[in-house]
Amino acid sequence: MRAHEAGWAHAAASVRGPAWLREPADVNALVPQLWSGTARKVDGVLEVGGVLVTDLVREHGSPAYVLDEVDFRARAAAFRTAFEAFDVYYAGKAFLCTTVARWVVEEGLFLDVCSGGELAVAIRAQVPPQRIGFHGNNKTPGELSEAVELGVGRIIVDSVHEIERLAAITRELGRTARVLIRVTAGVEAHTHEYIATAHEDQKFGFSISSGDALEAAREIAGVPGLELLGLHSHIGSQIFDSAGFEVAARRVLALHAQISDEVGLEMPEMDLGGGFGIAYTTQDDPSDPAQLAIELTKIVTDEAKARGVAVPRLSIEPGRAIVGPAMCTVYEVGTVKAVELDAGPGVTSVRTYVSVDGGMSDNIRTALYDADYSATLASRHSEAPALLSRIVGKHCEAGDIVVKDEFLPGDVMPGDLLAVPGTGAYCRSMASNYNHAARPPVIVVKDGSSAVAVRRETIDDLLRLDVDPAAGMED
Ligand code: LLP
């Protein structure tokens, strides 16, 4: 029995979502800023890249990540154009596969990787090594050797141990490595807020305020195999304004000038990191890349002028802002449950739990970060009144929530498809096999066609990892 049929629709209105969530005028309509550029509804059915998701699921199964190629390329190109005086590194940690790595290069971007695994994807995709930046607070000696041997464009060093390792590796291989120093500027930015403090309590980077970052520059200057390109600062995620960047850039430029004066190194570059926000719900209002470019350029240029140093060549590392909105996840509804809540004496309200065929294994962000998402009924038009619903997964955990609160038509039923926008960043890349879930495929859609970019995992894929230990033990 469906919730509205049971006459609960009215009572359900007393279940409150977050204060900002409003019942939409038309529950079938898409909110454009949440979706990739080619997404639209055709007679109530979601179409992305000219492909109806009903057809897509018939062909490729559910759940599936749907990647809008035109949208991804457009966002990459928008950063490339807006930041034309910068080098733009796509942050592969947000989502990386060989197809995306190729698009990144074709769109004139560089690629930021942060593990040997991501480096392997880049190399498989034939990304020129000099277009790769290599991050990480604990790169292994093996990863560092590989990076130096390949001749990656820049290694962002993060510790004294790493400087020592790179000194040994470059000596042994007779090679030079180009490096940036990851610094912590004492700025932490999240969404609309940033916190500027004197001390940094985190694992990344060398502190500017303690003098560690200056000391790192001195050490690197003494290693013949290392060429110091500049400083690198990344202040956070989902940032919507440039205030945090401004404070960080001032502090980083002060150090840049100090290194020039005291160590005698003129560093040609500076990296301001990533973290540019996207819209997950109607609450989010991200900046346009062109506006950001103007603001960041002005901040650095003014500060460099004030300090009497040449303006370094700037780079940025957007991940989420390029791939996040370019993907959505399509799920099939399996069960719908109207759960009565005790809302106080004499008042009963109902929360509608809509269970889908995926969950925290394909999107951990809701459970891990309390992230907000949106959703739409993707397989048909509905005239049923909207009900505040909670979309949950199929995993053995009560916190397995995909979308905490969303208005869906009150007649959502098993077999319906739901689509969640904005899942391109940190969903497939953080996916797990919890409960031996096979991770969903990434399907590229473009001009009315769909094709697999990352295939669906199978239970055989997972079972292939199981080995009988008795067979490996000596008698
Ligand atoms: N550069 C550096 C050095 C980073 O550490 C990061 C993200 C980026 C660039 C890209 O940031 P983006 O533009 O994608 O925000 N798993 C979390 C996000 C972790 C971000 C880690 N570093 C999430 O799902 O929100």
Side-chain angles (χ1 to χ4, degrees), residues 441-464:
V442 177
I443 311 293
V444 174
V445 289
K446 186 187 175 188
D447 299 339
S449 302
S450 65
V452 176
V454 180
R455 75 160 168 80
R456 185 184 302 283
E457 248 174 348
T458 63
I459 294 301
D460 278 345
D461 287 330
L462 303 183
L463 283 173
R464 213 164 283 147

Side-chain angles (χ1 to χ4, degrees), residues 91 93 112 135 182 234 274-275 317-320 365 369 426 430:
K93 66 203 83 185
D112 148 13
H135 271 282
R182 171 88 184 250
H234 170 80
E317 298 171 337
R320 187 189 320 261
R365 297 192 70 261
Y369 309 120
Y426 306 105
M430 294 176 78

